[in-house]
Amino acid sequence: MIGRLNHVAIAVKDLNAAIAVYRGALGAEISAPQAEPDHGVTVVFVTLPNTKIEFLEPLGDNSPIAKFLEKNPDGGIHHVCYEVDDIIAARDRLKAEGARVLGNGEPKIGAHGKPVLFLHPKDFLGTLTELEQA
Ligand code: CO
């Protein structure tokens, strides 16, 4: 069921500082910032040959990454995202396996304009896991 690694997301307090590190030290190719008010984050994409890295900066008062950054003030890996061919079928299978789907269990449109779901980190090796419709 699980497909390609779509991205690894790194939460950061300061997007511009993060961009400077990756662009400067690593010579990375980085997109323009994109505000995602529905998700409480501003996002940039680092394009790699085989996948993407996303930097997430809190947006608004109730950002879902605010608490994470309190615990990880230098930033840190926030989640991994895998592609699935059929997100509804994937969700139903995971629920049948006992995995917890976050939120109301319905896919939201993610940063790439495709439906996404998040799975509880306690069910996936302590790692917040996102699924994105391929
Ligand atoms: Co993501």
Side-chain angles (χ1 to χ4, degrees), residues 7 54 79 130:
H7 62 271
E54 294 182 5
H79 65 267
E130 181 180 14

Side-chain angles (χ1 to χ4, degrees), residues 1-4 82-90 132-134:
M1 177 183 84
I2 192 174
R4 286 179 70 236
Y82 303 113
E83 295 179 2
V84 293
D85 288 333
D86 181 337
I87 199 159
I88 299 298
E132 181 175 300
Q133 174 93 38

Side-chain angles (χ1 to χ4, degrees), residues 7 9-16 18-19 30-46 53-66 69 78-79 110-112:
H7 62 271
I10 299 178
V12 301
K13 276 188 172 164
D14 181 342
L15 212 44
N16 288 322
I19 290 168
I30 304 176
S31 73
Q34 185 176 318
E36 297 288 335
D38 283 358
H39 296 271
V41 292
T42 302
V43 186
V44 299
F45 307 114
V46 180
I53 305 294
E54 294 182 5
F55 298 152
L56 308 174
E57 182 188 66
L59 175 66
D61 292 333
N62 292 313
S63 174
I65 64 170
L69 283 168
H78 183 263
H79 65 267
H112 311 116

